Amino acid sequence: MVNAGAMSGSGNLMDFLDEPFPDVGTYEDFHTIDWLREKSRDTDRHRKITSKSKESIWEFIKSLLDAWSGWVVMLLIGLLAGTLAGVIDLAVDWMTDLKEGVCLSAFWYSHEQCCWTSNETTFEDRDKCPLWQKWSELLVNQSEGASAYILNYLMYILWALLFAFLAVSLVRVFAPYACGSGIPEIKTILSGFIIRGYLGKWTLLIKTVTLVLVVSSGLSLGKEGPLVHVACCCGNFFSSLFSKYSKNEGKRREVLSAAAAAGVSVAFGAPIGGVLFSLEELCDYINDPNMTRPVDDIPDRPAGVGVYTAMWQLALALIFKIVVTIFTFGMKIPSGLFIPSMAVGAIAGRMVGIGVEQLAYHHHDWIIFRNWCRPGADCVTPGLYAMVGAAACLGGVTRMTVSLVVIMFELTGGLEYIVPLMAAAVTSKWVADAFGKEGIYEAHIHLNGYPFLDVKDEFTHRTLATDVMRPRRGEPPLSVLTQDSMTVEDVETLIKETDYNGFPVVVSRDSERLIGFAQRRELILAIKNARQRQEGIVSNSIMYFTEEPPELPANSPHPLKLRRILNLSPFTVTDHTPMETVVDIFRKLGLRQCLVTRSGRLLGIITKKDVLRHMAQMANQDPESIMFN
Amino acid sequence: MVNAGAMSGSGNLMDFLDEPFPDVGTYEDFHTIDWLREKSRDTDRHRKITSKSKESIWEFIKSLLDAWSGWVVMLLIGLLAGTLAGVIDLAVDWMTDLKEGVCLSAFWYSHEQCCWTSNETTFEDRDKCPLWQKWSELLVNQSEGASAYILNYLMYILWALLFAFLAVSLVRVFAPYACGSGIPEIKTILSGFIIRGYLGKWTLLIKTVTLVLVVSSGLSLGKEGPLVHVACCCGNFFSSLFSKYSKNEGKRREVLSAAAAAGVSVAFGAPIGGVLFSLEELCDYINDPNMTRPVDDIPDRPAGVGVYTAMWQLALALIFKIVVTIFTFGMKIPSGLFIPSMAVGAIAGRMVGIGVEQLAYHHHDWIIFRNWCRPGADCVTPGLYAMVGAAACLGGVTRMTVSLVVIMFELTGGLEYIVPLMAAAVTSKWVADAFGKEGIYEAHIHLNGYPFLDVKDEFTHRTLATDVMRPRRGEPPLSVLTQDSMTVEDVETLIKETDYNGFPVVVSRDSERLIGFAQRRELILAIKNARQRQEGIVSNSIMYFTEEPPELPANSPHPLKLRRILNLSPFTVTDHTPMETVVDIFRKLGLRQCLVTRSGRLLGIITKKDVLRHMAQMANQDPESIMFN
């Protein structure tokens, strides 16, 4: 299963002889990277640059540039992500208003921009500036009456359908990876998985455009998750400009995680500037059902007709919003979950708040109300209940606790809400955990079968490495290479007949003592290269991984030395190692595979996929749900 | 080197035969714990409880209690730590005032409490309530005049010296571990090191009492660090009540880290209640030099004589505070660093603020001031400069960035300070890092020679496991046990002649194939136990670690099976593994030791101490500075 990328790298083969690790992308699509290896490759690179920097001024400057490239990349990501978020905002404003009408002075103005210079000073009248024309005014010259109303309504629906249709088509045809919030995939990629094109320029473009379309169309979705994806695409783009990051999947992920943080900042308004944007975003929803501000100083009043109507409307809105959000999140469009789930929680919280307000008004002698709730005093703030409800609902969906409280803290900017927010976040996590330990993003990761080892997953079963390793009892023995007795043809046959990522190298088939591990891809490249360029390498040349060539009969062909591609420090555990420890090792060291030995003899191999399948099996889930390696 | 604790555990030896791991404390003082082992012991315990819980109602209730014990412990820690912090606060108030005078109505009242019921309503007069008597009034019946002033001053100094002397003596005589802030040691303990008594009840008592004494004496120190230590002592006390935590050093550390967090909350006023306390604490220092509030709305004015005097006083205060803080932190008393270093930063920041204010006043046409600083407007807030200075100085000392900004954010409660605080924290970290990468707590850890593997320490040298492992070239070979050919006497001699924590077990001295690892302490216990209770075990009995006894001549004594104490999954790396990877493995998996193999043969051993010494050597430091294992 050698893909085109590997073959097209043949121009680098000359270098390859000199380099311990080839510069071609070493991992195939939908495979897991080896963190320890990436790390040691980066250390090698760093060491080389440091030693070279003493040779000349030019090399010294290059080493300085290399050291600063991280800051440069971060700066560029911040600038681009921030710009894109701003552009998306402006475009959404304009297209949302386009559903209602158009500006005569310049069609690219939103309603607000159009009426900016209007002479009307009150807020209500400002909306009615003459330059802004509703569709009915523009098309049939009517602004009032039933037919104008119906026409406007139809135009509204038409535009919304058009936007949604365009978005779905663009995603489907040009960039299937642009759908969804992107957060499950980004979590998986950050944990060390390769999904080619998921953070590509094409995805960036289509996701940005379709995000504007779907948000403008009025679907029940948020743009927070997609903005994190957009920021990660920016990170991927800029890291591809610097060889320090583009050639090392581990370093690239450092940039990507910083980019994801920038995306959250941009989306939620962590410190720099975005706070106000997010504050508005959130308050839009909390104030949605036309009531009192979140923090009011209006004394509690008995419920009038308006309150009862509002309660019914809120109850309907709650049901409708839940149903619509569930369906929207499953659609193949860019869609975030933060704002819709906060809206659901805010509506529910608001209803509870109104209920408590009335309870306090009518029963102000109850022990819990007595100290605060004299008649005519302001003691219950329904808006605060909405805020807490929003946090609780988002916490239940994503299972965030600390970061949630910090985000809400930053959004509201007030210390007095911390205690209710913390209580809500912890309670909602408890309640949600009773239904299942996975947050929505982890659930999506599992649905997609990505190999993701969650830090929170506890593995407490009593199985041992020997129960999980391959080959199982009855299976054919492990495919291994011997250090100095196989011919080139033997190895080529082995490569053709199996699709393993690599092969352990042992002293001999009898002793089975492990000496190292050879990557499939590097074997292929090395043999191809040797056959083309090295004198006397034929099919029955002996391949050896030792320092010295083996002793061969006089007329045997020239042997092929492959020690350079041998990983001399493969990771091993004994067959008696508890799987609990093995899971821990895979998780903490970011391994791709681990060899299993007993008394120094090689017994088998455990890959990340084997670990995940075993964990699924132990949790009574289908092990075949883990699809990638 | 068997210590008394191990021997006194002999009452448990009967159990020991049934239990795979003895319940006696398995680690000696000043040794590092093995995280993987602690974890698997806890999993075993958990598994046992879960399977037992199905047997009877009583066992089921016991399993529920076990599951909830974590919450109970946390609740108790929070209550005790909060109570202690409150008591310390009250006691400090009283004793600080005791230096000035005494309350006639009740001597245990502080000045403020004494005058609480005073009829004087203005703040200035309230201080002068008749019930509160200065020492001069009480002793010589004089409240004014030079002699009264001198007497009061002498009494003040006398009390302060008495408090300081008492504190030093108490620490020296009763609990040497109560000195310092305790944070370096707690960091080391949390990373898996044993320091017996450091978190004991005696330390808790003496630290609490002496903390009150030193703070009341007026020394330049804070109580934040010591409060974290106090909270950890509480955590250690409560975890000793639950066998789940007391018998597992790993689980105990989970409680301790939560207790440390509770300590920070109590000390700095994270959410629950403490915010206001800390806010006052901080503002005391920021307002120290009697000036405008931190956030003012007073228009900028030209500097008068008062400002020039204040600048001189601030400059002197700055120098004095720096010198005094440096000396105080080195004294053997409970002393925190947070508040003094914030005070230093606040003074410096305030000076810069005043300077900028005058600059803006006199040069309000400069491009940076032009937009904000018209004459008579308020455009520079020296108090904000003090706040930022405090954060910058604390950041430089401790190298915190994110947590520092969050703490300052919680302290000030205002979103508008985030940007300057972040800029200050990052800049001060850069500047401080240019002098050396270590924060003050890491520096103290190194000074004390504790085995602490910092996550931030980067190891980028090109050494291999073979360069670090013992035995070195020329040293006697590694002390190993063979699986079925050594006698009890051989092993006893080996134990007597060496002081290693454990011994690798190999198939035979010829093959050197590794099969496991046996702990020194468990070997001693097992042999002692077998000699006392098992029929026919004599000095020349063969000890075997295999499942089946070895074939022995007909008249040989009864062999001793020790498979139970054999760790069948010792951690191994190959001799070619880069030390970079080895450091990573030790850090992430919390290992105590790691065996080194080549082609399945045992070559040597690397302990945490070896790793740290190697790292010190590579950083051109004295490897002998690492003192513990």
Side-chain angles (χ1 to χ4, degrees):
Chain A
M1 219 175 74
V2 184
N3 74 15
M7 293 325 225
S8 70
S10 57
N12 286 327
L13 282 180
M14 205 59 210
D15 300 350
F16 172 64
L17 274 176
D18 305 310
E19 296 276 329
F21 297 103
D23 272 346
V24 292
T26 337
Y27 300 100
E28 292 181 27
D29 206 1
F30 293 107
H31 277 64
T32 302
I33 71 169
D34 182 335
W35 282 95
L36 285 180
R37 192 185 148 177
E38 295 302 297
K39 200 172 166 190
S40 87
R41 279 182 54 204
D42 183 61
T43 315
D44 284 340
R45 198 194 58 82
H46 186 70
R47 224 179 265 135
K48 204 177 286 171
I49 288 176
T50 314
S51 68
K52 262 194 184 173
S53 72
K54 287 162 196 151
E55 288 169 11
S56 71
I57 294 278
W58 174 233
E59 291 293 343
F60 179 70
I61 293 172
K62 261 170 56 179
S63 78
L64 278 188
L65 288 178
D66 180 81
W68 276 88
S69 61
W71 294 105
V72 175
V73 170
M74 297 307 159
L75 183 70
L76 291 172
I77 293 170
L79 287 175
L80 184 57
T83 309
L84 282 176
V87 169
I88 288 172
D89 251 24
L90 288 175
V92 165
D93 275 357
W94 174 65
M95 287 176 64
T96 305
D97 292 346
L98 194 64
K99 292 189 295 183
E100 290 176 0
V102 75
C103 186
L104 289 187
S105 59
F107 76 92
W108 58 87
Y109 276 176
S110 72
H111 193 160
E112 193 188 342
Q113 289 162 332
C114 190
C115 301
W116 198 252
T117 51
S118 155
N119 290 327
E120 313 288 346
T121 45
T122 61
F123 186 75
E124 287 77 14
D125 290 341
R126 203 175 203 180
D127 260 14
K128 294 180 189 141
C129 74
L131 284 174
W132 180 260
Q133 296 239 308
K134 289 192 178 167
W135 289 111
S136 60
E137 297 174 74
L138 197 73
L139 299 178
V140 297
N141 217 353
Q142 274 188 328
S143 67
E144 305 282 329
S147 62
Y149 183 81
I150 292 172
L151 180 62
N152 279 332
Y153 201 75
L154 281 177
M155 283 302 289
Y156 188 96
I157 305 252
L158 206 71
W159 280 111
L161 285 176
L162 179 69
F163 291 161
F165 176 76
L166 257 179
V168 173
S169 314
L170 281 174
V171 167
R172 202 182 170 83
V173 176
F174 294 106
Y177 283 150
C179 74
S181 77
I183 292 183
E185 283 79 9
I186 286 164
K187 274 175 85 115
T188 314
I189 289 172
L190 286 179
S191 83
F193 192 59
I194 306 269
I195 310 181
R196 291 252 152 74
Y198 197 84
L199 300 175
K201 290 189 277 287
W202 207 230
T203 308
L204 173 60
L205 182 69
I206 298 294
K207 188 129 194 176
T208 310
V209 172
T210 52
L211 183 57
V212 172
L213 288 169
V214 291
V215 173
S216 313
S217 76
L219 290 168
S220 175
L221 46 79
K223 56 181 188 289
E224 283 62 31
L227 275 179
V228 174
H229 186 178
V230 164
C232 283
C233 291
C234 300
N236 195 46
F237 171 70
F238 287 117
S239 65
S240 71
L241 302 183
F242 294 82
S243 68
K244 179 177 181 179
Y245 300 104
S246 63
K247 290 185 180 165
N248 190 308
E249 292 291 342
K251 290 299 276 183
R252 185 198 292 269
R253 273 155 185 74
E254 287 178 16
V255 173
L256 290 182
S257 63
V264 177
S265 297
V266 167
F268 280 102
I272 301 127
V275 180
L276 291 174
F277 152 75
S278 300
L279 192 55
E280 284 171 28
E281 193 79 293
L282 180 66
C283 287
D284 270 0
Y285 278 94
I286 285 171
N287 291 329
D288 223 10
N290 302 317
M291 309 207 92
T292 57
R293 293 296 305 260
V295 180
D296 65 3
D297 51 4
I298 302 164
D300 296 345
R301 291 156 303 174
V305 177
V307 171
Y308 288 111
T309 321
M311 282 296 263
W312 275 113
Q313 286 174 345
L314 283 171
L316 281 176
L318 181 63
I319 296 163
F320 189 69
K321 190 86 192 172
I322 290 174
V323 172
V324 166
T325 302
I326 290 170
F327 279 95
T328 311
F329 197 63
M331 282 161 67
K332 289 274 176 203
I333 48 170
S335 60
L337 193 69
F338 273 78
I339 294 300
S341 59
M342 279 168 112
V344 167
I347 297 172
R350 167 70 68 161
M351 290 171 70
V352 173
I354 294 174
V356 174
E357 191 181 31
Q358 292 307 315
L359 208 65
Y361 180 80
H362 292 291
H363 303 278
H364 45 78
D365 51 340
W366 283 10
I367 195 151
I368 51 165
F369 298 125
R370 200 179 297 156
N371 290 327
W372 301 279
C373 296
R374 281 178 308 277
D378 158 41
C379 76
V380 175
T381 310
L384 177 56
Y385 284 73
M387 200 92 85
V388 173
C393 189
L394 185 56
V397 169
T398 62
R399 309 296 160 82
M400 301 193 300
T401 49
V402 178
S403 51
L404 178 68
V405 172
V406 173
I407 285 178
M408 295 298 286
F409 183 29
E410 282 199 298
L411 284 173
T412 59
L415 288 166
E416 62 267 46
Y417 304 142
I418 290 188
V419 179
L421 284 175
M422 282 181 85
V426 171
T427 311
S428 77
K429 191 176 157 56
W430 275 351
V431 172
D433 278 354
F435 289 93
K437 289 267 178 198
E438 281 180 341
I440 191 139
Y441 299 125
E442 287 81 26
H444 263 244
I445 286 172
H446 281 172
L447 271 178
N448 292 333
Y450 296 135
F452 183 73
L453 259 176
D454 199 339
V455 192
K456 285 170 286 178
D457 283 344
E458 277 189 29
F459 184 85
T460 53
H461 300 278
R462 211 166 187 157
T463 45
L464 299 177
T466 186
D467 304 325
V468 179
M469 73 178 190
R470 311 232 154 203
R472 303 284 168 80
R473 265 175 223 116
E475 284 183 359
L478 191 66
S479 302
V480 295
L481 303 177
T482 56
Q483 66 175 1
D484 57 0
S485 59
M486 285 172 87
T487 64
V488 169
E489 198 177 7
D490 292 342
V491 176
E492 282 174 332
T493 314
L494 185 67
I495 289 172
K496 206 177 288 169
E497 286 174 358
T498 62
D499 61 355
Y500 302 129
N501 285 321
F503 305 92
V505 179
V506 295
V507 173
S508 69
R509 282 192 202 282
D510 294 336
S511 82
E512 283 183 330
R513 291 208 325 251
L514 179 72
I515 65 155
F517 193 83
Q519 297 281 337
R520 175 200 190 77
R521 173 167 279 199
E522 291 178 12
L523 268 176
I524 293 171
L525 285 170
I527 292 175
K528 191 180 148 73
N529 186 37
R531 273 187 180 273
Q532 284 176 352
R533 293 166 208 236
Q534 232 175 302
E535 204 73 10
I537 299 297
V538 291
S539 292
N540 59 343
S541 291
I542 291 289
M543 286 176 58
Y544 66 100
F545 293 95
T546 47
E547 277 290 1
E548 300 301 321
E551 282 181 29
L552 297 171
N555 58 347
S556 39
H558 201 70
L560 172 57
K561 182 171 178 176
L562 287 179
R563 192 172 179 83
R564 171 166 290 140
I565 66 162
L566 184 67
N567 174 5
L568 285 163
S569 54
F571 223 85
T572 59
V573 294
T574 69
D575 59 335
H576 270 80
T577 309
M579 270 313 285
E580 191 195 345
T581 308
V582 176
V583 170
D584 226 39
I585 294 171
F586 268 86
R587 191 148 44 197
K588 290 187 177 152
L589 301 180
L591 295 187
R592 234 183 145 187
Q593 72 267 320
C594 179
L595 298 169
V596 183
T597 60
R598 180 200 290 157
S599 327
R601 283 177 204 277
L602 179 67
L603 285 188
I605 189 168
I606 297 178
T607 64
K608 191 168 178 182
K609 190 178 183 175
D610 295 329
V611 171
L612 283 158
R613 287 196 164 172
H614 180 70
M615 287 173 77
Q617 208 164 8
M618 287 290 127
N620 293 320
Q621 291 161 358
D622 176 18
E624 297 307 312
S625 65
I626 311 297
M627 285 184 280
F628 304 105
N629 208 346
Chain B
M1 215 175 78
V2 184
N3 72 16
M7 293 325 228
S8 69
S10 57
N12 286 327
L13 281 181
M14 206 58 211
D15 301 350
F16 172 63
L17 274 178
D18 304 311
E19 295 275 332
F21 298 103
D23 273 346
V24 291
T26 339
Y27 299 100
E28 294 181 26
D29 205 2
F30 294 108
H31 277 63
T32 301
I33 71 169
D34 182 335
W35 282 95
L36 285 179
R37 189 184 154 180
E38 294 301 297
K39 202 172 167 190
S40 86
R41 279 181 56 202
D42 183 61
T43 315
D44 284 341
R45 198 194 58 82
H46 186 72
R47 225 180 264 132
K48 204 177 286 170
I49 287 176
T50 313
S51 68
K52 260 194 186 173
S53 72
K54 287 160 195 153
E55 287 170 13
S56 71
I57 293 277
W58 173 234
E59 291 291 343
F60 179 71
I61 292 172
K62 260 172 51 179
S63 79
L64 278 189
L65 287 179
D66 180 81
W68 275 87
S69 60
W71 294 106
V72 175
V73 169
M74 297 307 157
L75 184 69
L76 291 172
I77 292 169
L79 287 174
L80 184 56
T83 309
L84 282 178
V87 169
I88 288 172
D89 251 22
L90 288 175
V92 165
D93 275 357
W94 174 65
M95 287 175 65
T96 304
D97 290 346
L98 194 63
K99 293 188 295 183
E100 290 175 359
V102 75
C103 186
L104 289 186
S105 58
F107 74 90
W108 58 86
Y109 276 176
S110 72
H111 192 162
E112 193 188 342
Q113 290 162 334
C114 190
C115 300
W116 197 252
T117 52
S118 156
N119 290 327
E120 314 288 347
T121 45
T122 60
F123 185 78
E124 286 77 16
D125 290 342
R126 204 175 203 178
D127 260 16
K128 295 182 188 139
C129 74
L131 284 173
W132 179 260
Q133 296 238 309
K134 289 194 178 166
W135 289 112
S136 61
E137 298 175 72
L138 198 75
L139 300 178
V140 298
N141 217 354
Q142 275 190 325
S143 66
E144 304 282 328
S147 63
Y149 183 81
I150 290 172
L151 179 62
N152 280 331
Y153 199 77
L154 280 177
M155 283 303 287
Y156 189 96
I157 304 251
L158 205 71
W159 280 111
L161 284 176
L162 178 69
F163 293 160
F165 175 76
L166 257 178
V168 173
S169 314
L170 281 173
V171 166
R172 201 183 170 83
V173 177
F174 293 105
Y177 283 151
C179 74
S181 78
I183 293 185
E185 283 80 8
I186 286 163
K187 275 176 84 114
T188 313
I189 289 173
L190 286 177
S191 83
F193 192 60
I194 307 267
I195 310 182
R196 292 253 152 75
Y198 197 83
L199 301 175
K201 291 189 276 289
W202 206 230
T203 308
L204 173 60
L205 182 70
I206 297 295
K207 187 127 194 176
T208 310
V209 172
T210 52
L211 182 58
V212 171
L213 287 169
V214 290
V215 173
S216 313
S217 75
L219 288 169
S220 175
L221 45 79
K223 57 182 187 290
E224 285 61 33
L227 274 179
V228 174
H229 186 180
V230 164
C232 282
C233 291
C234 300
N236 193 47
F237 172 70
F238 287 116
S239 66
S240 70
L241 303 182
F242 294 82
S243 69
K244 180 177 180 178
Y245 299 104
S246 62
K247 289 187 179 162
N248 190 307
E249 292 290 342
K251 291 298 276 183
R252 186 200 291 267
R253 272 154 187 74
E254 288 179 17
V255 173
L256 290 183
S257 63
V264 177
S265 296
V266 167
F268 280 101
I272 299 129
V275 181
L276 292 174
F277 152 74
S278 301
L279 192 55
E280 282 170 31
E281 193 81 295
L282 179 65
C283 286
D284 271 0
Y285 278 94
I286 286 172
N287 292 330
D288 223 11
N290 301 318
M291 308 210 93
T292 57
R293 292 296 305 259
V295 181
D296 66 1
D297 50 5
I298 302 164
D300 296 344
R301 292 157 302 177
V305 176
V307 172
Y308 287 112
T309 320
M311 282 295 265
W312 275 114
Q313 285 173 345
L314 283 171
L316 281 176
L318 182 63
I319 295 164
F320 190 67
K321 189 87 191 172
I322 291 174
V323 172
V324 167
T325 302
I326 290 171
F327 279 95
T328 311
F329 197 64
M331 282 162 67
K332 290 273 177 206
I333 47 169
S335 62
L337 193 68
F338 273 78
I339 294 300
S341 59
M342 280 167 113
V344 167
I347 297 172
R350 166 70 67 162
M351 289 172 71
V352 173
I354 294 174
V356 174
E357 192 181 29
Q358 290 310 314
L359 209 62
Y361 180 80
H362 291 291
H363 302 277
H364 46 78
D365 52 341
W366 283 10
I367 195 152
I368 49 165
F369 298 126
R370 201 177 297 156
N371 290 325
W372 301 279
C373 296
R374 280 178 307 278
D378 158 41
C379 76
V380 175
T381 310
L384 176 57
Y385 285 74
M387 201 92 86
V388 173
C393 190
L394 185 54
V397 170
T398 62
R399 308 296 159 84
M400 301 195 299
T401 49
V402 179
S403 51
L404 177 68
V405 173
V406 172
I407 285 177
M408 295 299 285
F409 183 28
E410 283 199 298
L411 284 173
T412 60
L415 288 167
E416 62 267 46
Y417 305 141
I418 290 187
V419 179
L421 284 176
M422 283 181 83
V426 171
T427 311
S428 77
K429 190 174 155 59
W430 276 350
V431 172
D433 277 356
F435 289 93
K437 290 267 179 199
E438 283 179 338
I440 191 139
Y441 300 125
E442 288 80 27
H444 262 245
I445 287 172
H446 281 172
L447 271 178
N448 291 334
Y450 295 136
F452 184 73
L453 258 176
D454 198 336
V455 192
K456 286 170 287 176
D457 283 346
E458 277 188 29
F459 185 84
T460 54
H461 300 277
R462 209 165 190 158
T463 46
L464 299 176
T466 186
D467 304 325
V468 179
M469 72 178 194
R470 312 231 153 204
R472 302 284 169 82
R473 264 176 223 117
E475 284 182 0
L478 193 65
S479 301
V480 296
L481 304 176
T482 57
Q483 67 176 357
D484 56 3
S485 58
M486 284 172 90
T487 64
V488 168
E489 196 177 7
D490 291 341
V491 177
E492 284 175 330
T493 314
L494 186 65
I495 289 172
K496 204 176 292 170
E497 285 175 357
T498 62
D499 60 355
Y500 302 130
N501 285 319
F503 305 92
V505 180
V506 295
V507 172
S508 69
R509 282 192 202 280
D510 293 338
S511 82
E512 283 183 331
R513 292 210 323 254
L514 180 72
I515 65 155
F517 193 83
Q519 296 281 339
R520 175 198 190 80
R521 175 168 277 197
E522 291 178 11
L523 267 176
I524 293 172
L525 285 170
I527 293 174
K528 190 178 150 76
N529 185 37
R531 272 189 182 273
Q532 284 176 352
R533 293 163 208 236
Q534 232 174 302
E535 204 74 9
I537 299 296
V538 290
S539 291
N540 59 343
S541 292
I542 291 288
M543 285 177 60
Y544 66 101
F545 292 95
T546 48
E547 277 292 359
E548 299 302 319
E551 283 181 30
L552 297 170
N555 58 348
S556 35
H558 200 70
L560 171 57
K561 183 171 177 175
L562 286 179
R563 192 172 178 83
R564 170 167 291 139
I565 66 160
L566 184 65
N567 173 6
L568 285 164
S569 53
F571 222 86
T572 59
V573 293
T574 68
D575 60 335
H576 271 80
T577 309
M579 270 313 286
E580 192 194 346
T581 307
V582 175
V583 170
D584 225 38
I585 293 171
F586 268 86
R587 189 146 49 194
K588 290 188 176 151
L589 301 179
L591 297 186
R592 234 183 144 186
Q593 73 267 322
C594 180
L595 299 169
V596 183
T597 61
R598 181 199 291 159
S599 327
R601 284 176 203 276
L602 178 67
L603 284 189
I605 190 168
I606 297 178
T607 64
K608 191 169 177 180
K609 191 179 183 175
D610 296 329
V611 171
L612 283 158
R613 288 195 165 174
H614 181 69
M615 287 172 76
Q617 209 164 7
M618 287 289 126
N620 293 322
Q621 291 160 357
D622 177 20
E624 298 307 311
S625 66
I626 313 296
M627 284 184 280
F628 305 105
N629 210 345

